[in-house]
Amino acid sequence: MATTRTAHTVWDGELLTGSGSVTFDSSGIGSQPVSWPSRAEQANGKTSPEELIAAAHSSCFSMALSHGLTGAGTPPTRLETKADVTFQPGEGITGIHLTVRGEVPGLDAEGFASAAEDAKKNCPVSQALTGTTITLTAELA
């Protein structure tokens, strides 16, 4: 069964001086302010499309890695994943770096790195972002 999740943004004004608000409709978790300076300069308490992509990618990757490890007979105790999405004004998103640290009883570092590479390649968000270079650092706790 397919699922659809929805968010919407209301933007007021020009790009450089305007601002907006992105609302998470499906979850109902609220709205967050967004602006060009929060995207291209300092966040200053506002979000950006890149931060939203980072949240989506880190959570999707963690789920894919957990699923892969469990299917291989080495379920994780804990996975901590950070996604750094780099945005260059005038160029766009220039790269994503995933960093994962895992507690996986019975698995060595090589096995963990291999499972993490597989999750990086196959998680749905990675697949949606194939036009972007995605790199990975994986280590056991």
Side-chain angles (χ1 to χ4, degrees):
M1 169 191 256
T3 59
T4 300
R5 300 294 182 253
T6 305
H8 77 273
T9 299
V10 175
W11 186 266
D12 297 310
E14 298 176 17
L15 175 63
L16 298 180
T17 59
S19 64
S21 179
V22 59
T23 301
F24 302 92
D25 299 316
S26 299
S27 65
I29 61 173
S31 299
Q32 292 294 315
V34 64
S35 69
W36 177 254
S38 72
R39 183 177 196 184
E41 299 167 15
Q42 296 297 316
N44 293 322
K46 297 177 181 167
T47 194
S48 69
E50 291 72 30
E51 184 178 36
L52 298 172
I53 289 170
H57 205 178
S58 66
S59 59
C60 183
F61 171 85
S62 294
M63 288 182 214
L65 180 54
S66 177
H67 180 68
L69 290 167
T70 300
T74 53
T77 302
R78 181 180 178 91
L79 298 171
E80 291 182 34
T81 304
K82 178 175 80 164
D84 295 307
V85 178
T86 302
F87 174 75
Q88 177 65 46
E91 290 181 46
I93 294 173
T94 58
I96 300 171
H97 184 75
L98 298 169
T99 304
V100 62
R101 182 176 171 96
E103 295 174 17
V104 188
L107 189 64
D108 63 14
E110 185 178 319
F112 183 67
S114 177
E117 281 292 337
D118 187 63
K120 179 189 86 162
K121 178 182 174 188
N122 293 306
C123 93
V125 171
S126 288
Q127 291 177 349
L129 298 171
T130 56
T132 301
T133 300
I134 301 170
T135 57
L136 172 68
T137 301
E139 65 179 36
L140 288 172

